[in-house]
């Protein structure tokens, strides 16, 4: 398990460096229709990944991304929420690598709904890790934010704890 910052250059460089390791792999992107998740999917399409699973809870965004990306046969769209353990188990079957980008990431949303941030960013991440362990996933890459360093708001605190959950699982 590895946590990386969401700064665009960081994950772009990471994906380019890791491209060979994606050859013939099944990759799942949680939050795959979000701003960062969808860009990860676009970059994954440049790789030789065998299958790319896009996991998100937003049917409309999946429809829009499908229209944008066209009919690449490697793409699989899965409706689901990282809060739902049973759906996570289904989505993770046969997966080699997970990019965990699902999150509540807007500071005002998390300030007004702090426990929703806990349920998604912390408990949801634990569900991702549990599903990965149960399904023998080889790598989980958790995306974080600069707001997790010295957090002063609910979003930053929840993402800092997400990092702690992932790091503890990696030990």
């Amino acid at each position: 398990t590895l946590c990386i910052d969401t700064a665009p250059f960081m994950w772009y460089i990471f994906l380019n460096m890791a491209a060979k390791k994606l050859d013939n792999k099944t990759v799942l992107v949680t939050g795959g229709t979000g701003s960062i998740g969808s860009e990860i999917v676009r970059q994954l399409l440049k790789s030789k990944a065998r299958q790319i699973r896009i996991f998100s809870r937003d049917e409309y965004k999946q429809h829009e991304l499908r229209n944008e990306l066209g009919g690449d046969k490697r793409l699989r769209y899965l409706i689901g929420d990282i809060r739902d353990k049973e759906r996570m188990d289904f989505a993770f079957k046969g997966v080699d690598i997970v990019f965990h980008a699902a999150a509540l990431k807007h500071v005002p949303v998390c300030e007004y709904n702090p426990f929703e941030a806990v349920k998604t960013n912390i408990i949801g991440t634990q569900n991702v890790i549990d599903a990965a362990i149960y399904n023998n996933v080889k790598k989980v890459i958790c995306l974080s934010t600069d707001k997790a360093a010295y957090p002063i708001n609910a979003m930053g605190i929840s993402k800092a704890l997400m990092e702690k959950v992932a790091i503890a699982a990696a030990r």
Side-chain angles (χ1 to χ4, degrees):
T1 305
L2 170 70
C3 291
I4 61 173
D5 188 12
T6 55
F9 68 91
M10 292 295 287
W11 52 262
Y12 179 77
I13 290 169
F14 179 78
L15 281 172
N16 283 322
M17 288 172 41
K20 285 278 188 223
K21 294 183 180 193
L22 298 171
D23 288 359
N24 205 34
K25 299 284 194 268
T26 296
V27 183
L28 179 126
V29 182
T30 69
T33 59
S35 54
I36 293 168
S38 62
E39 185 58 32
I40 290 171
V41 170
R42 288 181 196 94
Q43 297 301 318
L44 288 170
L45 284 170
K46 297 175 185 177
S47 76
K48 294 179 182 174
R50 176 179 56 243
Q51 187 180 90
I52 302 164
R53 296 182 189 173
I54 301 165
F55 186 86
S56 76
R57 60 186 181 181
D58 193 322
E59 174 189 12
Y60 179 73
K61 283 185 179 178
Q62 284 197 6
H63 172 76
E64 291 294 306
L65 191 61
R66 183 181 286 116
N67 286 340
E68 175 195 334
L69 298 179
D72 192 304
K73 301 218 183 291
R74 297 176 296 161
L75 293 173
R76 301 289 183 277
Y77 295 86
L78 299 165
I79 294 289
D81 192 318
I82 61 170
R83 298 176 180 193
D84 181 346
K85 285 185 173 194
E86 188 176 322
R87 187 63 173 162
M88 296 292 293
D89 183 48
F90 173 81
F92 277 57
K93 287 193 186 327
V95 168
D96 299 298
I97 300 168
V98 173
F99 286 89
H100 175 40
L104 290 183
K105 63 178 187 169
H106 297 284
V107 171
V109 170
C110 294
E111 285 299 302
Y112 286 111
N113 305 280
F115 195 65
E116 297 305 308
V118 168
K119 289 193 291 189
T120 299
N121 296 349
I122 302 168
I123 297 169
T125 296
Q126 186 64 56
N127 291 342
V128 167
I129 290 165
D130 290 345
I133 291 168
Y134 183 76
N135 288 285
N136 298 310
V137 173
K138 293 171 187 66
K139 288 255 186 248
V140 176
I141 297 101
C142 296
L143 282 79
S144 191
T145 175
D146 61 337
K147 290 164 190 66
Y150 305 106
I152 60 169
N153 54 51
M155 193 279 275
I157 292 165
S158 68
K159 292 298 276 184
L161 285 170
M162 178 277 300
E163 291 180 5
K164 300 287 186 195
V165 167
I167 291 166
R171 290 187 184 130

